[in-house]
Amino acid sequence: MKGKVSRHMQSATSKAALKRLNYIEGHLGGIRRMIEQDTYCVEVLRQTYAVRRAIEKLEALLLDGHLHTCVIEGVKDGRDEQVIGELLELYELANK
Amino acid sequence: MKGKVSRHMQSATSKAALKRLNYIEGHLGGIRRMIEQDTYCVEVLRQTYAVRRAIEKLEALLLDGHLHTCVIEGVKDGRDEQVIGELLELYELANK
Amino acid sequence: MKGKVSRHMQSATSKAALKRLNYIEGHLGGIRRMIEQDTYCVEVLRQTYAVRRAIEKLEALLLDGHLHTCVIEGVKDGRDEQVIGELLELYELANK
Amino acid sequence: MKGKVSRHMQSATSKAALKRLNYIEGHLGGIRRMIEQDTYCVEVLRQTYAVRRAIEKLEALLLDGHLHTCVIEGVKDGRDEQVIGELLELYELANK
C-alpha cells in the first residue's frame, strides 16, 4: 500500500456498479409512469420486485469487489476483527 | 362496476407511492455520488440495503391499496381464483 | 356456515403441511449430524439455506389454504378490514 | 496449522449451533401441534416466520465462526479466490 493511492473500489467494479444504477433508475422511471397511468397494481408490484432483484445484483457486485480488495487487504494487514465485523453487519442488514 | 370509471389505485395510494419513489430516486442519486467519489464499499452497501427497505415499504403500500380495492372487488365479483392466484404469485416473487 | 363445524385449514392443506414439516425436521436432523461431525461450515450453511427454502414453501402452502378459506369467507362476511390487516401483517413478517 | 488437528468449527460455535437447533426443533414441534389442532392459519404462519428468523440467527452464528476460522486461514494460506467464491455463493443463497 505504500506510496500508492489506494482506491476502495476497482475501476471495473465501479463502472459496472454505475451501469447497474442506470438500469435501476430507468426501471424506477417506468414504475413511476405505470403509477401515473393507473396501471393494474399487480403489474406494478411485479416491476418493483424486479427492481429489488436488480438492487440485490448491484449489492452482490459491490460485495464481490469489497471481498477482493478491502477484505483481503484487511486480513493481510491484521485487521481481521474489523473486516469480519463489517461483513457480519452487512449479512444481517441483507437479511433484515 | 357498470357506468363508473373505476381506478385500480386510489388517489391517496398513488400519491403516497409517487412520494416514496421520489425518496428512492433521491437515495439512489446519493449512492451514485458515493460510488463516483470512491466511498468505502461497506458504507455504499449500507445505503443499498436502506434502498431495499424503502422499496419494500413502497411494495407494502401498493399491496395495501391492492387488497382494499381490486382484491375485495374481485372476491365480491366471484373472481376469487384470479385474485388469489395473483396474491400467491406476488408472495412468491417477494420471497425469491 | 350455519350448522357445520368449520375448520380453518382444509384436510388436504394440513396433510400437505404436516408432510412438509416431516421433511424439514428430517433435514434439520441431517444438519445436526453435520455439525456434530464437524462438517465444513460452508456445506452446513448450504443446508440451512435449503431448510429456509423448505419453510418458505410450507408458508406458501399455508397461505394458499388461508386465502382460499378464511380470507374469502372473511370478505364475504364483511370482515374485510380484519382479513386485510392480517395479510399485511404476514407480508411484513415475511419480509423482515 | 502444523501438527494440530484443525477443526472447521470451534467448539463454542458448534455448541451454540446445536443449542439453536434444539430450539428450532422444539418450535417446529409446536407448529406441528398447531396444525394438528387446526389452529387459525394466521397464527401458524406467525410461528413459521419466527422459525425462519431463528434459522437466520443460526446461519449468522455459523457464518461468524466460518469467517473467524476458515476464511482467515484461507486468506493467510493464499486461497483467497476459494474463500471469496464460497462467501459470494452463500450470499446469493441467502438472498434467493
Side-chain angles (χ1 to χ4, degrees):
Chain A
M1 304 283 295
K2 302 157 202 145
K4 100 171 173 196
V5 180
S6 173
R7 285 178 55 83
H8 296 121
M9 234 179 260
Q10 285 175 314
S11 170
T13 302
S14 80
K15 253 186 214 162
L18 290 170
K19 207 173 148 190
R20 282 220 157 263
L21 266 179
N22 286 344
Y23 171 80
I24 293 168
E25 288 175 332
H27 212 140
L28 284 175
I31 291 176
R32 171 183 297 283
R33 281 187 295 282
M34 292 174 89
I35 295 176
E36 286 167 349
Q37 295 164 8
D38 190 39
T39 307
Y40 184 43
C41 352
V42 172
E43 188 47 48
V44 181
L45 279 163
R46 283 192 192 109
Q47 298 309 313
T48 63
Y49 293 129
V51 169
R52 247 211 257 174
R53 292 296 89 73
I55 290 179
E56 283 166 19
K57 277 187 189 157
L58 169 63
E59 290 165 0
L61 189 85
L62 294 171
L63 183 65
D64 190 323
H66 178 58
L67 290 168
H68 277 95
T69 55
C70 314
V71 172
I72 298 296
E73 281 173 25
V75 173
K76 292 190 171 156
D77 290 357
R79 289 179 287 102
D80 302 13
E81 282 310 316
Q82 183 206 325
V83 297
I84 289 179
E86 286 171 348
L87 285 177
L88 290 172
E89 180 205 337
L90 293 178
Y91 187 80
E92 220 168 290
L93 286 173
N95 275 292
K96 224 201 307 225
Chain B
M1 303 283 295
K2 302 158 200 143
K4 101 170 172 196
V5 181
S6 174
R7 284 178 56 82
H8 295 121
M9 232 178 260
Q10 286 176 314
S11 171
T13 302
S14 80
K15 253 184 213 162
L18 290 170
K19 206 173 149 189
R20 282 220 158 264
L21 266 180
N22 286 343
Y23 171 80
I24 293 168
E25 288 175 332
H27 211 140
L28 283 175
I31 291 176
R32 171 182 297 281
R33 280 186 295 282
M34 293 174 88
I35 295 176
E36 286 168 350
Q37 294 163 9
D38 191 39
T39 307
Y40 185 43
C41 351
V42 172
E43 188 47 48
V44 182
L45 279 163
R46 282 190 193 111
Q47 298 310 313
T48 64
Y49 293 129
V51 169
R52 247 212 257 174
R53 291 295 89 73
I55 290 178
E56 284 166 18
K57 278 188 188 155
L58 169 64
E59 291 167 358
L61 189 84
L62 294 171
L63 184 65
D64 190 323
H66 178 57
L67 289 168
H68 277 95
T69 55
C70 314
V71 171
I72 299 297
E73 280 173 27
V75 173
K76 291 192 172 154
D77 290 358
R79 289 179 286 103
D80 304 13
E81 282 311 316
Q82 183 207 325
V83 296
I84 289 178
E86 287 171 348
L87 286 176
L88 290 170
E89 180 205 336
L90 294 178
Y91 188 79
E92 221 168 288
L93 286 173
N95 275 292
K96 222 197 310 221
Chain C
M1 304 287 295
K2 302 156 200 147
K4 101 170 171 196
V5 180
S6 174
R7 284 178 56 83
H8 296 121
M9 234 178 259
Q10 285 175 314
S11 171
T13 303
S14 79
K15 253 185 213 162
L18 290 170
K19 208 173 148 188
R20 282 221 157 263
L21 267 179
N22 286 343
Y23 172 79
I24 293 168
E25 288 175 333
H27 212 140
L28 283 175
I31 291 176
R32 170 183 298 282
R33 279 186 296 281
M34 293 174 89
I35 295 176
E36 286 168 349
Q37 294 163 10
D38 191 39
T39 306
Y40 185 42
C41 351
V42 172
E43 188 47 48
V44 182
L45 279 163
R46 283 192 192 110
Q47 297 310 313
T48 64
Y49 294 128
V51 168
R52 248 212 254 173
R53 292 295 89 74
I55 290 178
E56 283 166 19
K57 277 188 188 154
L58 170 63
E59 290 166 0
L61 190 85
L62 293 170
L63 183 65
D64 189 322
H66 178 58
L67 289 168
H68 278 94
T69 55
C70 314
V71 170
I72 299 295
E73 279 173 26
V75 174
K76 291 191 172 156
D77 291 357
R79 289 179 287 102
D80 303 13
E81 283 310 318
Q82 184 207 325
V83 296
I84 289 178
E86 286 170 349
L87 286 177
L88 290 171
E89 180 205 336
L90 293 177
Y91 187 80
E92 220 167 289
L93 286 173
N95 275 293
K96 222 197 313 219
Chain D
M1 304 283 297
K2 304 155 200 145
K4 99 171 171 198
V5 180
S6 175
R7 286 176 55 82
H8 296 122
M9 233 178 261
Q10 285 176 314
S11 171
T13 303
S14 80
K15 252 185 215 163
L18 290 170
K19 207 173 148 189
R20 281 221 158 262
L21 266 180
N22 286 343
Y23 171 79
I24 293 168
E25 288 175 332
H27 212 140
L28 283 175
I31 291 175
R32 171 183 297 281
R33 279 186 296 281
M34 291 175 90
I35 295 175
E36 286 168 349
Q37 294 163 9
D38 190 40
T39 306
Y40 184 43
C41 349
V42 172
E43 188 47 46
V44 181
L45 279 163
R46 283 191 193 111
Q47 297 310 313
T48 64
Y49 294 128
V51 168
R52 249 212 255 173
R53 293 294 90 72
I55 290 179
E56 284 166 18
K57 278 188 188 156
L58 169 63
E59 290 166 0
L61 189 85
L62 294 171
L63 183 65
D64 189 324
H66 178 58
L67 289 168
H68 277 95
T69 56
C70 314
V71 171
I72 299 296
E73 280 173 25
V75 173
K76 292 191 172 155
D77 290 359
R79 289 179 286 103
D80 303 13
E81 283 310 316
Q82 183 207 325
V83 296
I84 290 179
E86 287 171 348
L87 286 176
L88 290 171
E89 181 205 337
L90 293 178
Y91 187 79
E92 220 169 286
L93 286 174
N95 275 293
K96 222 200 311 224

